[in-house]
Amino acid sequence: MREKKIRLVAAVALSLAGIFLLSFCKNKAGNANGVKASQNFFEFANGDWIKNNPVPPTESVWGSFNILRDKNRKLLHRILDSAAALQNPVKGSTAQLIGDFYASGMDSAGIEKLGVKPLQPMLDKIGNIKDAKDVLDVIANLQRNGIFPLFGIMVDQDARKSDEYALYASQGGLGLPNKAYYLKKDGKSDTVRQEYIAHVSKMFQLMGEPAAQADKDANTVMKFETELADASMSPVELRDPIATYNKYTMAQVMEMTPAMDWKSYLASATIPEVPTMIISQPKFFKKVNDDLKSVSMDDWKVYLRWHLIHNTARFLSSDFVNESFNFYSMKLNGVKVIEPRWKRIQSMTDMALGDALGQEYVKVAFSAEAKKKVVEMIHNLVAALRERINGLDWMSATTKVAANEKLNTLMVKIGYPDKWKSYAGLNIDRNSYVVNVMRSDSFEYQRNIHKLGKPVDRTEWGMTPPTINAYYNPSLNEIVFPAGILQPPFYDPNADDAVNYGGIGAVIGHELTHGFDDQGRLYDAKGDLKNWWTKEDSANFMKRAQVIVHQFNHYSVDGLHINGELTEGENLADLGGLTIAYVAFKKAEEGKPDPGLIDGYTPDQRFFLGWAYVWRSNERPEALRQQILTNPHSPSLFRVNGPLSNNEAFYKAFNVQPGDSMMAPDSLRAKIW
């Protein structure tokens, strides 16, 4: 499906998020090697913790967030166990839906007995393909069940008319993380590609193919996907919302891709006729058009069989689950041991029935007091950002007026939705886990398609309430903080102001800054992709933002350089978030008694230590490599040290002097907000 426009505070795929202090002394900074704060603040603050908290065998990354996630999971586990144990719950109730879904996933004996049998109707449909029209019909059928081979299709706000919904089509169809995995020329990439081919072959063998045929089919998949990758946009190119906004009439779409019978496809996909469509990557769809003319039907069948089994393997018998884990978790991320079944099924229940599970979760996990304090912090941070914007010497009065208007219209969502999603009509039972997954995916697919022609729902959430993360959505001009992130020990309403503002305050500031980063600044107060900057102000911003790009391009891990262009938006948000959180913290201190030293640290020092604790983590080398190649978030070391090396208040708090590693030369220092 089309990549979501929401901007996250954390790298979800690697679970790099933070934890805040319940008791400052429990998380006392320290490093056994005697690293100074002025030389490597990340190591100074987190060195001892990192040394004493190795990555567990079931994880690719282990940080403070993971500890919180495990605590959260135990609560969700109790909720799901209770729901599954209910006798004759009301059909369609939240308890019945989550209880039966969870129970079907925990029925390992039943899952083993069924094997791939639940997929047979789809396999038969693939096997009966005769022409290009059949290929698109099968793709539509798979998409209706939550499986998106070849390309994504979804309804979302029209980026240039945010009060209307539009139909988007976007590139996809790859089994490896992105195009670099297919095209990058180095020894490690070659090894990953060979391991991928072996994995695809093994999966075909598990479906009953002889080894020789499975090997041949795996190479067919690799060739097909490599050509798709070559026609795909890179992660950096995908960050450009203007380049990915290509609106065509349906007549123009059909002229561009004459081999694609769009009318028949849309009917199969249960999508009503539309006058226009937004093709996010025209070059990719021209490649799809060519493939429909040149690729044999036998090869199409191989490719589609692979994507069916690839997307459902986690929900099938243990041989498929283990083989998928072996490649995607062990080989790509370095994980040693698969998670217990209950954790995997709990996570999937949240993904499939997030609002149903969320209703039960917030009853026991989210207090009114926590919400009240967060609202107060957000107001303080918005005021701090407004103050910083109005004080900028490089921005004109005209652009400042528009920036203030954007702040005035900002929507803030905290905890959970005011209006819960309805699951009326969704059939969940205990007969088949993979069928339940596809039913829920199909239900959400239809929910999405039915938005066409309706008013934009600005109450909708892009995350479930138990999620430990936060985001900014430019088309809605909103910041969203689910209940999962607003609880001890991640956030403590009774904790020291310094630590909370350095932690959750900087996270809030991060999301606010996304509205004004290199992507967010392209959307106006209403949420439309529309320029509201003067030409001179835009040039000034880009010049200053380029300093951050240059800075992060020079950071490297194990010979791999950070991609400053890919990580630009997140690095800008970290820099801005930390800056405005500090301003808000100093405002919050006014009129209050000085709390003095705690564990030998001043309030300002505790503020910056709170920031460092957010990103403390250990990563496996494989996971770190995948993050650098695919993720718009920088590794945790640089998320801490990068913004701080530009921060004068940090220099003063820890007596950082010119020549120290943590101080950027004035001529290279990033100064934006």
Side-chain angles (χ1 to χ4, degrees):
M1 296 176 69
R2 190 171 72 92
E3 182 179 337
K4 279 289 186 181
K5 293 177 290 185
I6 60 175
R7 309 297 305 284
L8 309 183
V9 70
V12 178
L14 290 177
S15 301
L16 298 179
I19 193 169
F20 302 98
L21 303 180
L22 278 172
S23 170
F24 193 78
C25 62
K26 289 181 181 178
N27 295 274
K28 187 174 180 180
N31 185 276
N33 296 323
V35 174
K36 295 180 179 179
S38 59
Q39 299 303 318
N40 185 333
F41 193 70
F42 178 83
E43 188 74 12
F44 167 79
N46 299 320
D48 284 348
W49 184 93
I50 289 171
K51 179 182 178 181
N52 295 321
N53 290 272
V55 183
T58 58
E59 307 291 334
S60 61
V61 174
W62 189 249
S64 304
F65 167 75
N66 302 80
I67 298 171
L68 172 59
R69 185 185 66 173
D70 272 8
K71 175 189 172 185
N72 212 33
R73 280 178 149 187
K74 290 173 183 175
L75 173 57
L76 292 168
H77 191 193
R78 292 197 296 271
I79 292 171
L80 289 169
D81 273 348
S82 297
L86 290 174
Q87 298 295 318
N88 301 316
V90 176
K91 183 71 173 175
S93 65
T94 57
Q96 182 269 317
L97 290 170
I98 63 175
D100 283 359
F101 188 97
Y102 182 73
S104 73
M106 292 302 293
D107 180 15
S108 56
I111 292 170
E112 293 298 320
K113 183 178 180 180
L114 285 172
V116 296
K117 185 178 179 181
L119 304 183
Q120 198 57 52
M122 289 186 179
L123 289 169
D124 290 343
K125 197 169 183 64
I126 293 170
N128 291 329
I129 286 175
K130 296 181 180 64
D131 54 29
K133 184 177 179 294
D134 288 345
V135 170
L136 289 174
D137 182 62
V138 166
I139 288 171
N141 181 268
L142 292 171
Q143 290 171 340
R144 294 200 313 269
N145 287 279
I147 299 163
F148 289 82
L150 199 60
F151 64 91
I153 194 82
M154 74 176 296
V155 176
D156 202 355
Q157 286 171 270
D158 187 319
R160 293 198 183 275
K161 292 183 179 180
S162 61
D163 56 352
E164 296 180 8
Y165 284 120
L167 184 64
Y168 284 81
S170 59
Q171 69 183 40
L174 305 182
L176 288 171
N178 64 30
K179 68 180 296 177
Y181 279 77
Y182 295 87
L183 306 177
K184 191 175 174 62
K185 304 299 182 184
D186 60 61
K188 179 60 179 175
S189 298
D190 290 341
T191 299
V192 169
R193 285 190 284 270
Q194 291 306 310
E195 290 172 337
Y196 178 59
I197 292 171
H199 164 63
V200 177
S201 175
K202 179 64 174 176
M203 293 291 266
F204 279 135
Q205 290 176 56
L206 291 175
M207 294 176 73
E209 288 191 12
Q213 183 62 45
D215 288 345
K216 179 183 177 182
D217 287 349
N219 279 283
T220 295
V221 168
M222 189 66 186
K223 180 179 181 295
F224 193 106
E225 291 185 356
T226 300
E227 292 178 359
L228 288 179
D230 190 51
S232 299
M233 280 187 171
S234 70
V236 172
E237 291 170 327
L238 288 170
R239 294 193 69 254
D240 185 345
I242 296 173
T244 55
Y245 184 90
N246 305 286
K247 192 171 187 177
Y248 300 99
T249 66
M250 287 309 299
Q252 290 172 325
V253 171
M254 289 185 277
E255 182 180 356
M256 180 173 64
T257 55
M260 298 182 71
D261 186 340
W262 284 97
K263 185 174 182 178
S264 175
Y265 161 76
L266 292 175
S268 294
T270 66
I271 299 172
E273 290 188 15
V274 289
T276 60
M277 182 185 295
I278 297 168
I279 305 291
S280 297
Q281 300 86 19
K283 178 184 174 182
F284 180 86
F285 281 87
K286 290 175 183 176
K287 170 61 178 170
V288 171
N289 181 78
D290 292 343
D291 285 347
L292 285 169
K293 294 185 294 184
S294 62
V295 174
S296 73
M297 291 303 112
D298 284 343
D299 285 356
W300 274 111
K301 292 175 186 179
V302 168
Y303 172 77
L304 292 171
R305 280 204 313 274
W306 157 239
H307 277 273
L308 171 60
I309 199 66
H310 163 58
N311 281 278
T312 56
R314 294 176 296 144
F315 318 123
L316 298 174
S317 52
S318 57
D319 47 359
F320 289 99
V321 171
N322 292 335
E323 177 55 33
S324 182
F325 170 81
N326 178 63
F327 178 71
Y328 286 101
S329 294
M330 293 186 72
K331 297 289 176 60
L332 287 188
N333 283 299
V335 179
K336 307 301 181 186
V337 177
I338 195 168
E339 285 185 322
R341 175 177 286 274
W342 73 264
K343 287 188 176 182
R344 289 178 274 135
I345 309 307
Q346 174 261 303
S347 294
M348 194 60 217
T349 308
D350 183 37
M351 291 178 65
L353 297 162
D355 272 29
L357 181 58
Q359 289 181 58
E360 303 303 318
Y361 171 78
V362 298
K363 291 176 184 177
V364 293
F366 189 57
S367 71
E369 181 63 20
K371 181 172 183 176
K372 180 181 177 182
K373 296 250 178 145
V374 172
V375 169
E376 180 183 335
M377 290 184 75
I378 290 174
H379 287 161
N380 291 343
L381 281 147
V382 169
L385 179 54
R386 191 186 307 279
E387 178 183 311
R388 297 291 293 186
I389 287 172
N390 291 335
L392 292 174
D393 59 6
W394 58 267
M395 183 182 282
S396 70
T398 301
T399 304
K400 286 178 182 178
V401 169
N404 275 282
E405 182 185 0
K406 189 165 186 178
L407 279 177
N408 291 340
T409 58
L410 179 77
M411 245 189 334
V412 178
K413 296 176 180 176
I414 298 174
Y416 53 89
D418 294 328
K419 180 179 67 177
W420 295 103
K421 289 180 180 178
S422 169
Y423 294 96
L426 173 59
N427 180 30
I428 298 293
D429 56 36
R430 302 194 176 199
N431 295 331
S432 169
Y433 179 43
V434 68
V435 169
N436 278 339
V437 171
M438 288 192 289
R439 283 174 179 168
S440 65
D441 284 343
S442 178
F443 190 84
E444 293 303 327
Y445 173 87
Q446 293 298 334
R447 190 199 301 277
N448 177 256
I449 295 303
H450 287 158
K451 290 179 180 178
L452 279 171
K454 294 183 173 61
V456 168
D457 182 1
R458 293 182 176 267
T459 69
E460 189 175 21
W461 280 51
M463 283 181 179
T464 66
T467 304
I468 305 166
N469 212 321
Y471 68 88
Y472 172 76
N473 183 342
S475 289
L476 289 174
N477 190 26
E478 65 177 3
I479 53 175
V480 183
F481 296 88
I485 201 171
L486 302 174
Q487 58 170 320
F490 196 96
Y491 163 66
D492 181 8
N494 300 311
D496 179 35
D497 270 350
V499 176
N500 271 334
Y501 272 92
I504 192 68
V507 168
I508 295 167
H510 173 107
E511 299 306 338
L512 287 172
T513 305
H514 270 318
F516 303 88
D517 68 13
D518 65 307
Q519 287 180 305
R521 76 178 193 86
L522 301 176
Y523 295 81
D524 67 11
K526 184 182 173 183
D528 290 345
L529 185 58
K530 181 180 178 182
N531 183 35
W532 49 271
W533 294 63
T534 68
K535 186 176 180 180
E536 183 179 2
D537 290 342
S538 185
N540 274 329
F541 175 87
M542 289 188 286
K543 180 180 178 181
R544 291 166 181 271
Q546 193 59 35
V547 176
I548 283 286
V549 173
H550 178 79
Q551 178 183 359
F552 278 79
N553 273 336
H554 283 78
Y555 294 144
S556 64
V557 179
D558 295 334
L560 278 176
H561 278 270
I562 308 302
N563 187 331
E565 286 78 15
L566 176 61
T567 59
E568 180 180 0
E570 299 302 329
N571 298 333
L572 289 171
D574 283 343
L575 177 67
L578 189 66
T579 300
I580 65 174
Y582 181 77
V583 172
F585 162 57
K586 301 309 284 186
K587 290 284 186 183
E589 273 193 321
E590 292 176 359
K592 294 182 180 178
D594 184 353
L597 299 178
I598 297 179
D599 282 331
Y601 295 111
T602 67
D604 275 22
Q605 288 174 331
R606 296 198 300 277
F607 172 89
F608 292 111
L609 285 166
W611 170 252
Y613 294 146
V614 169
W615 306 113
R616 57 171 41 162
S617 65
N618 268 318
E619 304 95 10
R620 297 192 187 279
E622 298 90 341
L624 196 55
R625 182 177 188 276
Q626 184 170 350
Q627 182 183 11
I628 291 171
L629 290 175
T630 67
N631 205 289
H633 301 80
S634 298
S636 54
L637 166 65
F638 303 113
R639 294 196 77 168
V640 173
N641 289 355
L644 291 180
S645 68
N646 300 293
N647 192 293
E648 293 185 11
F650 167 72
Y651 303 158
K652 183 177 179 181
F654 284 93
N655 193 31
V656 181
Q657 299 296 316
D660 289 339
S661 300
M662 286 301 303
M663 179 182 285
D666 188 63
S667 61
L668 301 177
R669 199 172 299 166
K671 300 175 183 177
I672 302 179
W673 302 113

PDB file of all heavy atoms in Angstrom, residues 17 70 82 97 233 256 258 273 288 298 324 355 432 453 493 497 515 537 548 608 663:
ATOM      1  N   ALA A  17      12.942   3.486  20.654  1.00  0.00           N
ATOM      2  CA  ALA A  17      12.244   4.584  21.303  1.00  0.00           C
ATOM      3  C   ALA A  17      12.785   4.707  22.701  1.00  0.00           C
ATOM      4  O   ALA A  17      13.807   4.133  23.032  1.00  0.00           O
ATOM      5  CB  ALA A  17      10.741   4.330  21.304  1.00  0.00           C
ATOM      6  N   ASP A  70       7.632  -4.722  26.742  1.00  0.00           N
ATOM      7  CA  ASP A  70       7.367  -5.998  27.409  1.00  0.00           C
ATOM      8  C   ASP A  70       6.374  -5.825  28.556  1.00  0.00           C
ATOM      9  O   ASP A  70       5.503  -6.672  28.778  1.00  0.00           O
ATOM     10  CB  ASP A  70       8.677  -6.597  27.925  1.00  0.00           C
ATOM     11  CG  ASP A  70       9.360  -7.465  26.885  1.00  0.00           C
ATOM     12  OD1 ASP A  70       8.895  -7.482  25.729  1.00  0.00           O
ATOM     13  OD2 ASP A  70      10.355  -8.120  27.228  1.00  0.00           O
ATOM     14  N   SER A  82      -8.130 -13.194  29.291  1.00  0.00           N
ATOM     15  CA  SER A  82      -9.457 -13.081  29.903  1.00  0.00           C
ATOM     16  C   SER A  82     -10.546 -13.120  28.849  1.00  0.00           C
ATOM     17  O   SER A  82     -11.575 -13.786  29.015  1.00  0.00           O
ATOM     18  CB  SER A  82      -9.556 -11.773  30.707  1.00  0.00           C
ATOM     19  OG  SER A  82      -8.642 -11.763  31.782  1.00  0.00           O
ATOM     20  N   LEU A  97     -14.518 -10.541  19.659  1.00  0.00           N
ATOM     21  CA  LEU A  97     -13.615 -10.377  18.525  1.00  0.00           C
ATOM     22  C   LEU A  97     -12.167 -10.636  18.921  1.00  0.00           C
ATOM     23  O   LEU A  97     -11.464 -11.439  18.298  1.00  0.00           O
ATOM     24  CB  LEU A  97     -13.758  -8.968  17.941  1.00  0.00           C
ATOM     25  CG  LEU A  97     -15.073  -8.667  17.213  1.00  0.00           C
ATOM     26  CD1 LEU A  97     -15.177  -7.172  16.904  1.00  0.00           C
ATOM     27  CD2 LEU A  97     -15.181  -9.476  15.926  1.00  0.00           C
ATOM     28  N   MET A 233      11.388   3.876  -7.147  1.00  0.00           N
ATOM     29  CA  MET A 233      12.035   5.018  -6.514  1.00  0.00           C
ATOM     30  C   MET A 233      12.838   4.542  -5.310  1.00  0.00           C
ATOM     31  O   MET A 233      12.470   3.580  -4.633  1.00  0.00           O
ATOM     32  CB  MET A 233      10.992   6.039  -6.053  1.00  0.00           C
ATOM     33  CG  MET A 233      10.458   6.947  -7.136  1.00  0.00           C
ATOM     34  SD  MET A 233       9.400   8.241  -6.403  1.00  0.00           S
ATOM     35  CE  MET A 233       9.148   9.293  -7.828  1.00  0.00           C
ATOM     36  N   MET A 256      -1.204   5.771 -20.557  1.00  0.00           N
ATOM     37  CA  MET A 256       0.153   5.525 -20.076  1.00  0.00           C
ATOM     38  C   MET A 256       0.417   4.029 -19.904  1.00  0.00           C
ATOM     39  O   MET A 256       1.535   3.555 -20.114  1.00  0.00           O
ATOM     40  CB  MET A 256       0.367   6.254 -18.736  1.00  0.00           C
ATOM     41  CG  MET A 256       1.752   6.070 -18.125  1.00  0.00           C
ATOM     42  SD  MET A 256       2.003   7.099 -16.653  1.00  0.00           S
ATOM     43  CE  MET A 256       0.795   6.414 -15.520  1.00  0.00           C
ATOM     44  N   PRO A 258      -1.460   0.996 -21.317  1.00  0.00           N
ATOM     45  CA  PRO A 258      -2.538   0.375 -22.099  1.00  0.00           C
ATOM     46  C   PRO A 258      -2.695  -1.120 -21.879  1.00  0.00           C
ATOM     47  O   PRO A 258      -3.770  -1.671 -22.145  1.00  0.00           O
ATOM     48  CB  PRO A 258      -2.129   0.682 -23.548  1.00  0.00           C
ATOM     49  CG  PRO A 258      -0.653   0.918 -23.499  1.00  0.00           C
ATOM     50  CD  PRO A 258      -0.395   1.574 -22.176  1.00  0.00           C
ATOM     51  N   GLU A 273     -15.799   3.357 -10.007  1.00  0.00           N
ATOM     52  CA  GLU A 273     -15.144   4.145 -11.044  1.00  0.00           C
ATOM     53  C   GLU A 273     -14.818   5.538 -10.514  1.00  0.00           C
ATOM     54  O   GLU A 273     -15.635   6.166  -9.834  1.00  0.00           O
ATOM     55  CB  GLU A 273     -16.045   4.246 -12.278  1.00  0.00           C
ATOM     56  CG  GLU A 273     -16.187   2.941 -13.032  1.00  0.00           C
ATOM     57  CD  GLU A 273     -16.913   3.113 -14.357  1.00  0.00           C
ATOM     58  OE1 GLU A 273     -17.039   4.269 -14.806  1.00  0.00           O
ATOM     59  OE2 GLU A 273     -17.343   2.091 -14.928  1.00  0.00           O
ATOM     60  N   VAL A 288       5.411  -2.129 -15.005  1.00  0.00           N
ATOM     61  CA  VAL A 288       4.353  -3.130 -14.819  1.00  0.00           C
ATOM     62  C   VAL A 288       3.618  -3.357 -16.133  1.00  0.00           C
ATOM     63  O   VAL A 288       3.324  -4.499 -16.525  1.00  0.00           O
ATOM     64  CB  VAL A 288       3.375  -2.687 -13.709  1.00  0.00           C
ATOM     65  CG1 VAL A 288       2.151  -3.600 -13.671  1.00  0.00           C
ATOM     66  CG2 VAL A 288       4.072  -2.676 -12.351  1.00  0.00           C
ATOM     67  N   ASP A 298       3.406 -18.305 -16.963  1.00  0.00           N
ATOM     68  CA  ASP A 298       3.999 -19.226 -15.987  1.00  0.00           C
ATOM     69  C   ASP A 298       4.831 -18.463 -14.958  1.00  0.00           C
ATOM     70  O   ASP A 298       4.797 -18.778 -13.758  1.00  0.00           O
ATOM     71  CB  ASP A 298       4.871 -20.264 -16.695  1.00  0.00           C
ATOM     72  CG  ASP A 298       4.047 -21.341 -17.381  1.00  0.00           C
ATOM     73  OD1 ASP A 298       2.851 -21.476 -17.045  1.00  0.00           O
ATOM     74  OD2 ASP A 298       4.596 -22.034 -18.259  1.00  0.00           O
ATOM     75  N   SER A 324      10.341 -18.429   7.533  1.00  0.00           N
ATOM     76  CA  SER A 324      10.224 -16.978   7.394  1.00  0.00           C
ATOM     77  C   SER A 324      11.063 -16.275   8.460  1.00  0.00           C
ATOM     78  O   SER A 324      11.778 -15.310   8.173  1.00  0.00           O
ATOM     79  CB  SER A 324       8.756 -16.550   7.507  1.00  0.00           C
ATOM     80  OG  SER A 324       8.631 -15.165   7.322  1.00  0.00           O
ATOM     81  N   ASP A 355      -8.649  -1.075  17.585  1.00  0.00           N
ATOM     82  CA  ASP A 355      -9.605  -0.282  18.353  1.00  0.00           C
ATOM     83  C   ASP A 355     -10.416  -1.143  19.320  1.00  0.00           C
ATOM     84  O   ASP A 355     -10.828  -0.672  20.383  1.00  0.00           O
ATOM     85  CB  ASP A 355     -10.543   0.479  17.411  1.00  0.00           C
ATOM     86  CG  ASP A 355      -9.974   1.829  17.013  1.00  0.00           C
ATOM     87  OD1 ASP A 355      -8.730   1.954  16.977  1.00  0.00           O
ATOM     88  OD2 ASP A 355     -10.754   2.760  16.733  1.00  0.00           O
ATOM     89  N   SER A 432      -9.775 -20.793  12.044  1.00  0.00           N
ATOM     90  CA  SER A 432      -8.518 -20.681  11.299  1.00  0.00           C
ATOM     91  C   SER A 432      -7.891 -19.314  11.545  1.00  0.00           C
ATOM     92  O   SER A 432      -8.505 -18.276  11.259  1.00  0.00           O
ATOM     93  CB  SER A 432      -8.750 -20.876   9.798  1.00  0.00           C
ATOM     94  OG  SER A 432      -7.585 -20.524   9.064  1.00  0.00           O
ATOM     95  N   GLY A 453     -15.468   9.484  -2.071  1.00  0.00           N
ATOM     96  CA  GLY A 453     -16.685  10.268  -2.214  1.00  0.00           C
ATOM     97  C   GLY A 453     -17.279  10.771  -0.922  1.00  0.00           C
ATOM     98  O   GLY A 453     -18.288  11.489  -0.933  1.00  0.00           O
ATOM     99  N   PRO A 493       3.915  11.533  35.229  1.00  0.00           N
ATOM    100  CA  PRO A 493       3.403  12.862  35.554  1.00  0.00           C
ATOM    101  C   PRO A 493       3.934  13.397  36.877  1.00  0.00           C
ATOM    102  O   PRO A 493       3.836  14.600  37.141  1.00  0.00           O
ATOM    103  CB  PRO A 493       1.875  12.662  35.604  1.00  0.00           C
ATOM    104  CG  PRO A 493       1.668  11.206  35.795  1.00  0.00           C
ATOM    105  CD  PRO A 493       2.825  10.524  35.133  1.00  0.00           C
ATOM    106  N   ASP A 497      10.517  17.925  36.341  1.00  0.00           N
ATOM    107  CA  ASP A 497      10.283  18.641  35.086  1.00  0.00           C
ATOM    108  C   ASP A 497      11.445  18.485  34.114  1.00  0.00           C
ATOM    109  O   ASP A 497      11.239  18.330  32.901  1.00  0.00           O
ATOM    110  CB  ASP A 497      10.060  20.132  35.353  1.00  0.00           C
ATOM    111  CG  ASP A 497       8.597  20.473  35.590  1.00  0.00           C
ATOM    112  OD1 ASP A 497       7.735  19.598  35.368  1.00  0.00           O
ATOM    113  OD2 ASP A 497       8.315  21.620  35.994  1.00  0.00           O
ATOM    114  N   GLY A 515       6.098  19.354  11.413  1.00  0.00           N
ATOM    115  CA  GLY A 515       5.238  20.229  10.634  1.00  0.00           C
ATOM    116  C   GLY A 515       6.003  21.299   9.880  1.00  0.00           C
ATOM    117  O   GLY A 515       5.444  21.972   8.996  1.00  0.00           O
ATOM    118  N   ASP A 537      12.791  32.926   1.855  1.00  0.00           N
ATOM    119  CA  ASP A 537      12.724  32.131   3.088  1.00  0.00           C
ATOM    120  C   ASP A 537      12.954  30.653   2.804  1.00  0.00           C
ATOM    121  O   ASP A 537      13.619  29.948   3.579  1.00  0.00           O
ATOM    122  CB  ASP A 537      11.367  32.314   3.764  1.00  0.00           C
ATOM    123  CG  ASP A 537      11.191  33.708   4.351  1.00  0.00           C
ATOM    124  OD1 ASP A 537      12.212  34.399   4.535  1.00  0.00           O
ATOM    125  OD2 ASP A 537      10.043  34.094   4.605  1.00  0.00           O
ATOM    126  N   ILE A 548      22.600  20.139   8.290  1.00  0.00           N
ATOM    127  CA  ILE A 548      22.269  18.883   8.979  1.00  0.00           C
ATOM    128  C   ILE A 548      22.550  17.691   8.069  1.00  0.00           C
ATOM    129  O   ILE A 548      23.092  16.665   8.500  1.00  0.00           O
ATOM    130  CB  ILE A 548      20.791  18.890   9.414  1.00  0.00           C
ATOM    131  CG1 ILE A 548      20.622  19.749  10.656  1.00  0.00           C
ATOM    132  CG2 ILE A 548      20.282  17.492   9.701  1.00  0.00           C
ATOM    133  CD1 ILE A 548      21.134  19.148  11.935  1.00  0.00           C
ATOM    134  N   PHE A 608      19.242  17.255  29.615  1.00  0.00           N
ATOM    135  CA  PHE A 608      19.960  16.632  28.499  1.00  0.00           C
ATOM    136  C   PHE A 608      20.198  15.146  28.727  1.00  0.00           C
ATOM    137  O   PHE A 608      20.227  14.360  27.775  1.00  0.00           O
ATOM    138  CB  PHE A 608      21.269  17.379  28.241  1.00  0.00           C
ATOM    139  CG  PHE A 608      21.051  18.768  27.718  1.00  0.00           C
ATOM    140  CD1 PHE A 608      21.354  19.876  28.482  1.00  0.00           C
ATOM    141  CD2 PHE A 608      20.495  18.966  26.463  1.00  0.00           C
ATOM    142  CE1 PHE A 608      21.124  21.164  28.011  1.00  0.00           C
ATOM    143  CE2 PHE A 608      20.265  20.242  25.979  1.00  0.00           C
ATOM    144  CZ  PHE A 608      20.577  21.353  26.749  1.00  0.00           C
ATOM    145  N   MET A 663      31.309  19.447  20.514  1.00  0.00           N
ATOM    146  CA  MET A 663      31.025  20.809  20.053  1.00  0.00           C
ATOM    147  C   MET A 663      31.341  20.931  18.569  1.00  0.00           C
ATOM    148  O   MET A 663      32.477  20.714  18.146  1.00  0.00           O
ATOM    149  CB  MET A 663      31.825  21.857  20.827  1.00  0.00           C
ATOM    150  CG  MET A 663      31.556  23.288  20.350  1.00  0.00           C
ATOM    151  SD  MET A 663      32.534  24.572  21.196  1.00  0.00           S
ATOM    152  CE  MET A 663      31.680  24.647  22.779  1.00  0.00           C
TER     153      MET A 663
END
